[in-house]
Amino acid sequence: MASLLIFLPALLLALLCLRLLVNWRTLSKAPGPILAGCTDLWRAYYQYNGKLRKKLLDLHSKHGPIVRYGVRSISINDPEVINIVYGSRGGFITADSYKVIIGIQNGKEVPSLVSTADEVRHGALRRSVANAFTPTAVLDYEKWIDASIEELLDLVSKKSTFDISSIILWYNMDAAGRFSFGEPVGCLKAEGDVGGSIQLIRDRFNHWGWWGSLPQLERLIYRNPIALRQKIAPSSMAAAAASRLKLRASRSSNDLAHPDLLQKFLDASKDSPQVLDTSGIIGMLMSTISGAGDTSATTMTAAIFYLLKHPHSLKKLEEELSQADLPEIPTVSQISKLPYLNAVIRETMRVFPTPTAPMERLVPQGGVTIAGMFFPMGTSVGCMPSAVHQRVDVFGEDVNTFRPERWLISDREQLRCMEATHMGFSRGRRVCLGQNIAVLQMKKSLSALLMKFKLSLADPNASLKADFSSAVAWLGPLYVISQVKQQ
Ligand code: HEM
């Protein structure tokens, strides 16, 4: 009996060691921490603690373009690879890490546009709603955005020292509510989260960040038959989207002051009823609600932070805006061609992209050779934007410096190369569908704020505090002092 008590644990330990060794051997030629190759608990631990992004940046500086960070997970920061992995011809599909954000509605899984792994369905869904996101279509949402900018300016004019990070988030939530469902969430008015909407989005992205490394375990815990019935998985987002849809069914589209995204989805569903059925519309709403809040807010606040830290850049932008002689809330056509404003947004997204980990794709049948290394089918490969944006050979020796001027050079070849390496909105088949709306919204509100107020950091030594544990970086408070400018 005593010998059994010793033998059994020893056997289990030996089996565990063997398993870890087998795991490690799968991609042992790829450089990276040994433990990361043995178990995915390594990456889960770093992501949960918000340290994976920094760790991968360090590992890329040490090992070069290929870094192993999981049993079958490879981070690549080689720009040549972007088109292969994310382009439409490669046959790479989203990795299992995306499955943890599939919503649950009435005990059934409802994949959103982002979380659907079925490339055929994804392509059909995307095509069916593409008309709602073209540069021309997004002009329909301009009036919705203007209404939120008006409220934003009004609230800031009542403040002297305040946390701009929160105010910008409330503004983005209200603007997203307006252009998605025709009404603001009400965050600016309440000066806080309303109905837990911000928390709902964060819960979904947190769940993605925390569980994306362990999708099988997530499935076991959150998607077993009992859990599905008890709705403990990220079901609330699907429920919120479904309730918006139900609400709209009781209203006429004539009640809307301007067209919104939901109306466009409903119109599109008449043309493609099979693709854009009720769960298709719910899936689209889930992707747009969560895509539109924190991502734009983080980017806008980061832009303000970098401008305040770089007075020379702020001055240049203020001069450009002043020379353009704009109204209090400029129109898209008035600001779309302002080169410095454009460069500020691009550079902010280069220095501070919102995704916190590689956007993972699975190597298709036959495997692939990347940067001279062969990866078999099923390996998860992906680029983390912040790692790709650190390439000195593309962006120059000063990659870590915020310098919008790098986007204003006359060397077309260099510019083309930088554009092709910019992954702030991802790339290829699954590139951000809302990027035209996001850019329009950021350009308009940033210009309106900087024209009306003189902003400065309350603490000149302040840094940008961010939580990188979620799938999208959240910003902490950023206190600024504001004064209304003399006209
Ligand atoms: C600065 C703001 C934004 C940033 C940085 C951003 C970034 C991204 C990124 C990186 C992805 C790819 C995610 C992945 O594959 O893992 C994405 C996808 C997406 N974004 Fe955005 N986004 C922004 C604003 C918006 C807005 C305003 C909307 C909606 C109005 C939106 C809707 C979407 C949708 C629907 C997808 C899924 C596309 C697909 O899978 O085909 N985003 N976004």
Side-chain angles (χ1 to χ4, degrees):
M1 184 65 187
S3 61
L4 193 69
L5 278 178
I6 296 172
F7 176 72
L8 252 184
L11 179 70
L12 286 175
L13 190 66
L15 285 174
L16 179 69
C17 291
L18 188 68
R19 179 63 210 250
L20 297 180
L21 188 70
V22 169
N23 283 350
W24 174 76
R25 273 183 59 88
T26 359
L27 296 169
S28 57
K29 63 199 162 178
I34 292 178
L35 206 54
C38 293
T39 167
D40 282 330
L41 287 172
W42 182 92
R43 56 173 283 199
Y45 168 82
Y46 274 91
Q47 180 69 40
Y48 187 78
N49 288 292
K51 292 178 179 163
L52 185 66
R53 177 181 172 276
K54 168 83 172 62
K55 187 76 187 169
L56 285 179
L57 292 178
D58 292 346
L59 288 169
H60 276 297
S61 330
K62 187 172 165 195
H63 297 298
I66 290 181
V67 163
R68 185 184 192 186
Y69 67 104
V71 176
R72 292 171 78 82
S73 314
I74 301 290
S75 170
I76 305 163
N77 80 346
D78 181 350
E80 300 289 319
V81 166
I82 297 174
N83 280 343
I84 304 174
V85 174
Y86 299 96
S88 49
R89 294 208 195 110
F92 290 72
I93 60 165
T94 46
D96 287 355
S97 49
Y98 283 75
K99 291 192 177 150
V100 307
I101 47 156
I102 295 179
I104 289 163
Q105 172 75 0
N106 299 330
K108 283 204 187 103
E109 291 197 308
V110 186
S112 63
L113 183 70
V114 184
S115 63
T116 186
D118 177 347
E119 283 302 324
V120 177
R121 173 152 176 81
H122 176 265
L125 249 182
R126 223 182 134 109
R127 277 192 300 281
S128 73
V129 295
N131 281 341
F133 294 94
T134 61
T136 315
V138 301
L139 299 179
D140 285 346
Y141 317 127
E142 192 171 0
K143 289 278 183 295
W144 291 124
I145 291 167
D146 287 355
S148 293
I149 296 178
E150 229 169 85
E151 274 190 62
L152 169 71
L153 297 180
D154 192 43
L155 182 59
V156 173
S157 60
K158 290 180 192 145
K159 309 265 175 193
S160 50
T161 304
F162 59 97
D163 168 20
I164 199 159
S165 176
S166 296
I167 288 193
I168 298 275
L169 177 57
W170 302 333
Y171 152 73
N172 272 286
M173 290 299 295
D174 278 358
R178 280 190 166 104
F179 66 67
S180 300
F181 324 117
E183 54 191 74
V185 177
C187 296
L188 279 171
K189 205 166 168 196
E191 296 191 32
D193 193 1
V194 172
S197 308
I198 296 176
Q199 198 52 48
L200 198 65
I201 296 175
R202 291 197 165 173
D203 285 348
R204 185 166 185 256
F205 280 121
N206 285 341
H207 191 83
W208 193 0
W210 299 345
W211 286 100
S213 305
L214 304 165
Q216 282 80 17
L217 188 59
E218 194 271 352
R219 180 148 287 276
L220 206 68
I221 297 173
Y222 290 96
R223 291 161 203 275
N224 64 62
I226 299 169
L228 280 182
R229 273 203 299 278
Q230 291 185 340
K231 300 182 187 170
I232 57 170
S235 54
S236 11
M237 178 62 83
S243 82
R244 290 293 174 174
L245 189 57
K246 205 165 149 201
L247 208 68
R248 180 58 58 89
S250 61
R251 285 175 66 182
S252 150
S253 61
N254 296 336
D255 296 348
L256 284 173
H258 321 285
D260 62 4
L261 275 172
L262 177 51
Q263 196 50 49
K264 297 209 178 196
F265 296 161
L266 287 167
D267 291 346
S269 81
K270 288 183 194 142
D271 297 331
S272 324
Q274 268 91 25
V275 179
L276 213 55
D277 52 7
T278 304
S279 63
I281 296 177
I282 292 175
M284 270 315 305
L285 283 176
M286 278 161 65
S287 287
T288 42
I289 304 170
S290 38
D294 259 295
T295 46
S296 308
T298 292
T299 310
M300 256 188 81
T301 303
I304 292 172
F305 171 80
Y306 289 120
L307 286 168
L308 298 184
K309 279 279 186 185
H310 297 84
H312 163 77
S313 301
L314 178 61
K315 190 161 173 264
K316 269 183 134 171
L317 180 54
E318 285 176 331
E319 277 169 10
E320 184 178 79
L321 294 170
S322 144
Q323 277 160 19
D325 196 18
L326 303 166
E328 184 169 80
I329 301 178
T331 63
V332 175
S333 56
Q334 287 166 328
I335 50 167
S336 58
K337 298 232 161 61
L338 296 182
Y340 205 75
L341 176 61
N342 202 33
V344 164
I345 305 270
R346 279 256 8 91
E347 182 67 349
T348 302
M349 293 184 72
R350 184 191 72 79
V351 178
F352 201 94
T354 56
T356 58
M359 292 177 282
E360 302 182 314
R361 302 289 185 267
L362 295 181
V363 171
Q365 206 171 14
V368 68
T369 299
I370 288 173
M373 209 176 274
F374 179 79
F375 296 105
M377 176 184 166
T379 309
S380 162
V381 292
C383 300
M384 180 171 76
S386 41
V388 179
H389 294 174
Q390 294 285 304
R391 290 289 299 225
V392 172
D393 51 344
V394 177
F395 295 104
E397 289 296 331
D398 63 348
V399 274
N400 291 315
T401 309
F402 173 82
R403 191 172 62 81
E405 287 76 8
R406 79 176 77 246
W407 297 98
L408 299 171
I409 51 170
S410 53
D411 182 341
R412 281 173 175 265
E413 185 46 34
Q414 168 67 7
L415 208 52
R416 192 204 58 75
C417 182
M418 292 198 303
E419 292 284 359
T421 310
H422 198 290
M423 293 197 73
F425 283 119
S426 183
R427 313 275 315 177
R429 273 185 297 182
R430 287 177 182 251
V431 69
C432 175
L433 194 54
Q435 59 176 306
N436 291 322
I437 302 179
V439 170
L440 173 150
Q441 192 188 334
M442 289 191 294
K443 281 187 175 174
K444 280 176 71 101
S445 44
L446 194 60
S447 321
L449 270 176
L450 294 178
M451 287 192 300
K452 181 149 184 169
F453 303 103
K454 180 177 165 14
L455 298 173
S456 57
L457 289 169
D459 170 9
N461 298 320
S463 57
L464 205 54
K465 292 201 180 61
D467 180 345
F468 294 109
S469 68
S470 182
V472 167
W474 315 133
L475 291 183
L478 180 69
Y479 287 92
V480 296
I481 302 169
S482 88
Q483 275 175 305
V484 177
K485 280 182 178 169
Q486 303 298 328
Q487 296 302 316

